[in-house]
Amino acid sequence: MSCATAPAPDELAVLRARVSEQAAEISHLKLVIAKLRRMQFGRSSEQMDQMLGQLELSLEELETRRAERDEAPVAETPEAERPPRAARQLLPEHLPRETFEHLPAQCDCPACGGQVAKLGETVSEVLEYKPASFRVIRHVRPKFACTRCDTIVQAPAPSRPIARGLAGAGLLAHVLVAKYCDHLPLYRQSDIYAREGVALERSTLADWVGQCNALLRPLVAALEAYVLSATKLHADDTPVPVLAPGEGQTKTGRLWTYVRDDRPAGDERPPAVWFAYSPNRRGEHPQTHLKAFRGVLQADAYAGFGPLYADGAIQEAACWAHVRRKFFDLHKAQNSPLAAEALKRIAALYAIEADIRGKPAQIRQAERQARAGPALLQLREWFDATLHKLSQKSALAEAIRYALARWAALVRYTTDGRIEIDNNAAERALRTVALGRKNFLFAGSDAGGERAAAIYSLIGSAKLNGLDPEAYLRHVIGRIADHPVNRVAELLPWAIAQELPTVANHAAAA
C-alpha cells in the first residue's frame, strides 16, 4: 500500500476540528441516550423508543464514520497529534478459547543460520462468532434377544417434549425466545432457518409454539400462585392489537403484568412476574386476577383498580413517576419555572430512595419518615399555595390536582419500608411487550394473546433472576414432560438457578 501525501497544515487543522466536533457530538448523543433510557417508562414509551432509535442510529453512523476515518491511510501524522483510541475491552473469561500456534517459516536464525531457542511468546485474541447450527440427534436403541426363550430386550424410547415431534428441547426453546424475547415473528424465523438449509414452515413452528404452551401451562400456574402470594405487588397494563376473527381488522386487547420484587427492601425471596391477557380493559379483569390478593398494590390511577381498595384488604400505593412525568412534560414544552421547581422537589425524594435502596424495610421506613416526611409536607404546602395562583384550566394546575387527589396513596410509601416510591418495576416488565408489539403488529387471536402472556411470564421471571431465558426454557422443556405435576414448582427459575448459566456468564447469551 502506498503512503498518502501529507495534508497541508490548513487541511490538517480542518481535519482536526472535524474530528473534535464529531467526538463532541458522539459524547453528547451518548449523554442524551443515557438520560432517555432512564426516562423510558409509561405512556410515552413508544414515542421515547422512536426517539431513542433515531439517536442510536445517529450515534451508530458517527461511530462508523469515525472507524472508517481511523482505518484510512493517514500520512505522516505524529502519534501525539492523532485522536486517542478508546481502551480495548477485555474479552470475557468465560468464553471458550481455541488456540492456534503460528511458527516461523524457518526454524533457524535468518541472520546467521544458527539454531534458535524459544524466548517467549506474544498472545493476541480475536472475538469470533460461530453461526448457530442445526444438528440431528440419533437415539439408537439396540434390540437383544434371549438365546434361550427369544424374549426381546430393548431400552425404552426417551421421552420427547412433544410426543412424536421432531423438535428437541433446544430448538423449541430457541423458537420461543426468538419470538417472544427477540421479537422475531415465525415467518421471519422460517426464512432464517431456510438459509441454513432446513425447511421449517411457519405452520410447523406455530404448532410447536402451541404445544409448548400446553406443556408449560402447569409451570405458569405455579408461577402465578407464587406471584399472587406476595404481600406487595406492582401492577400495570398495556394495549395489544389483536386480529378480530372474521373481520380482517384489529381490536385492542390488554396484557396485564403483576410483579413481585422486594429486593430493594432487602428481601431475599426471588422476584417474579406474571402476565395475564384480556380482550378489553374492563376493571373486572384485574379484579378477577387479584380477588385473593391481600396487601399493598402499587399501580397507576386506573379506575378499574378502585373497587379493589374498597374494603381495605388491598392498600393503594400510587406512583411518583407518573406525577413527575406530568411536570417534566410541562417543563419541556413551556420551560415553566414552576414545573422546574416541582421537579426539583420530587428529585429530592428520589435522592433519599437512592441512599436506602437495598436496606431492610425497617431502616427504609425510619429514613423516609425522618427525611422524606418533612420534604413531602413542604411539597404539599407548595402545591396548595401554587394552585391558588394559577388558572384552574391550566395544564400546571391539572398536574398539581392530579397529585393532590392521590396524596394519601402517594405518601403511603413513607409508612411502609416494603413499598417503592414508584411503579417502575411493572413498567420495566412491559418493555418487552412494547418491542414485540412493534414487530408482530398484532396477536392472531385472543388465544394468541394468552399464549404470549404465558411465555412472557416465564421469560420475564428468568430475566429477573439473572438467567439466560433460552437456557432456562431448554432445561424446563427437556424435563417437564416427565416431571411430577404436583412438584412442578421445582422447575421455577430460582429453584434451578444453580444448574443454569446466568445472562452474564452464558457463553452464547442471547
Side-chain angles (χ1 to χ4, degrees):
M1 181 177 65
S2 59
C3 294
T5 304
D10 290 345
E11 293 177 352
L12 193 57
V14 170
L15 287 173
R16 288 174 183 166
R18 191 176 302 164
V19 168
S20 178
E21 181 181 340
Q22 289 184 348
E25 188 173 355
I26 288 172
S27 178
H28 173 69
L29 282 173
K30 287 182 176 179
L31 178 62
V32 172
I33 289 170
K35 288 182 178 179
L36 288 176
R37 290 202 181 282
R38 289 196 296 270
M39 296 158 41
Q40 195 180 15
F41 301 117
R43 297 178 190 172
S44 60
S45 61
E46 290 188 10
Q47 293 94 321
M48 194 74 74
D49 285 341
Q50 183 178 8
M51 188 185 302
L52 272 171
Q54 292 172 348
L55 288 172
E56 293 276 16
L57 189 61
S58 298
L59 180 59
E60 177 183 312
E61 172 61 24
L62 282 170
E63 292 184 325
T64 303
R65 199 183 308 159
R66 181 175 65 180
E68 290 177 343
R69 184 192 67 242
D70 289 347
E71 292 306 317
V74 179
E76 306 296 326
T77 305
E79 183 70 28
E81 298 180 5
R82 295 180 187 175
R85 287 180 176 267
R88 177 168 293 180
Q89 185 177 1
L90 296 177
L91 298 181
E93 291 292 334
H94 68 269
L95 295 178
R97 258 69 175 173
E98 291 184 49
T99 300
F100 297 91
E101 189 174 39
H102 303 275
L103 296 174
Q106 57 188 66
C107 296
D108 50 11
C109 176
C112 68
Q115 187 176 2
V116 296
K118 187 173 183 180
L119 179 64
E121 61 187 12
T122 301
V123 178
S124 60
E125 293 189 332
V126 175
L127 186 63
E128 187 55 277
Y129 175 73
K130 181 179 181 181
S133 58
F134 290 92
R135 59 177 176 170
V136 176
I137 306 297
R138 300 178 70 237
H139 295 284
V140 179
R141 297 183 296 134
K143 292 182 179 180
F144 300 90
C146 177
T147 57
R148 182 177 300 175
C149 65
D150 292 335
T151 298
I152 296 177
V153 179
Q154 187 179 32
S159 63
R160 302 188 184 193
I162 297 175
R164 298 181 299 279
L166 293 177
L171 178 54
L172 293 172
H174 181 72
V175 171
L176 291 176
V177 168
K179 176 175 172 63
Y180 294 107
C181 187
D182 299 331
H183 320 299
L184 281 174
L186 297 180
Y187 74 90
R188 293 184 186 170
Q189 291 191 53
S190 179
D191 291 342
I192 292 170
Y193 302 146
R195 293 201 300 268
E196 298 288 327
V198 179
L200 293 175
E201 298 295 332
R202 182 202 53 79
S203 58
T204 300
L205 299 176
D207 286 343
W208 290 352
V209 170
Q211 292 180 73
C212 282
N213 181 65
L215 185 67
L216 296 168
R217 198 170 291 143
L219 185 60
V220 176
L223 181 62
E224 174 190 354
Y226 174 78
V227 170
L228 298 183
S229 68
T231 57
K232 188 210 75 181
L233 282 179
H234 294 265
D236 204 352
D237 69 292
T238 192
V240 178
V242 181
L243 189 64
E247 299 180 12
Q249 298 179 341
T250 60
K251 60 178 183 177
T252 302
R254 306 299 291 196
L255 271 176
W256 306 83
T257 185
Y258 301 96
V259 180
R260 174 178 181 171
D261 188 356
D262 292 319
R263 292 174 297 176
D267 195 318
E268 295 183 355
R269 282 172 290 192
V273 57
W274 175 62
F275 287 87
Y277 170 81
S278 66
N280 52 55
R281 206 194 182 202
R282 293 176 189 157
E284 64 194 52
H285 301 298
Q287 293 160 29
T288 299
H289 301 155
L290 300 174
K291 61 183 177 182
F293 173 70
R294 299 293 180 269
V296 176
L297 182 65
Q298 301 215 228
D300 60 17
Y302 169 54
F305 291 129
L308 292 168
Y309 311 130
D311 62 1
I314 298 178
Q315 295 83 49
E316 178 187 10
C319 176
W320 273 101
H322 280 75
V323 176
R324 181 193 179 279
R325 194 172 300 132
K326 292 181 178 296
F327 290 105
F328 176 82
D329 291 342
L330 280 170
H331 180 60
K332 181 179 179 181
Q334 303 174 2
N335 198 24
S336 164
L338 291 175
E341 177 64 20
L343 289 173
K344 177 182 176 182
R345 291 172 180 261
I346 295 172
L349 300 176
Y350 273 87
I352 297 169
E353 293 305 299
D355 291 342
I356 62 176
R357 185 169 294 114
K359 294 183 178 180
Q362 299 88 337
I363 295 177
R364 281 157 58 97
Q365 180 179 340
E367 286 285 310
R368 285 168 172 172
Q369 289 180 345
R371 300 169 61 189
L376 284 164
L377 182 60
Q378 293 172 9
L379 178 57
R380 173 63 191 258
E381 293 172 350
W382 185 82
F383 275 157
D384 288 333
T386 304
L387 187 59
H388 290 303
K389 302 175 184 177
L390 298 172
S391 166
Q392 297 306 297
K393 295 183 179 180
S394 69
L396 188 58
E398 182 182 343
I400 293 176
R401 284 196 299 269
Y402 176 90
L404 293 177
R406 296 159 182 81
W407 193 256
L410 283 169
V411 301
R412 180 160 283 126
Y413 82 100
T414 63
T415 65
D416 188 337
R418 298 171 303 159
I419 304 176
E420 292 302 299
I421 192 173
D422 56 35
N423 194 35
N424 285 349
E427 296 186 348
R428 283 192 296 269
L430 289 174
R431 282 182 182 177
T432 188
V433 177
L435 290 171
R437 180 173 57 219
K438 190 180 298 183
N439 275 18
F440 297 156
L441 301 183
F442 49 78
S445 65
D446 288 335
E450 292 170 359
R451 281 193 297 272
I455 305 303
Y456 281 142
S457 299
L458 296 175
I459 288 175
S461 295
K463 286 183 173 181
L464 280 175
N465 286 272
L467 300 179
D468 170 51
E470 186 168 334
Y472 171 65
L473 287 177
R474 184 189 309 120
H475 181 96
V476 167
I477 292 172
R479 289 161 177 75
I480 194 169
D482 298 324
H483 198 85
V485 70
N486 61 342
R487 289 167 41 201
V488 72
E490 296 173 354
L491 296 177
L492 289 171
W494 52 90
I496 58 175
Q498 299 302 319
E499 306 175 46
L500 298 174
T502 63
V503 172
N505 295 327
H506 187 34

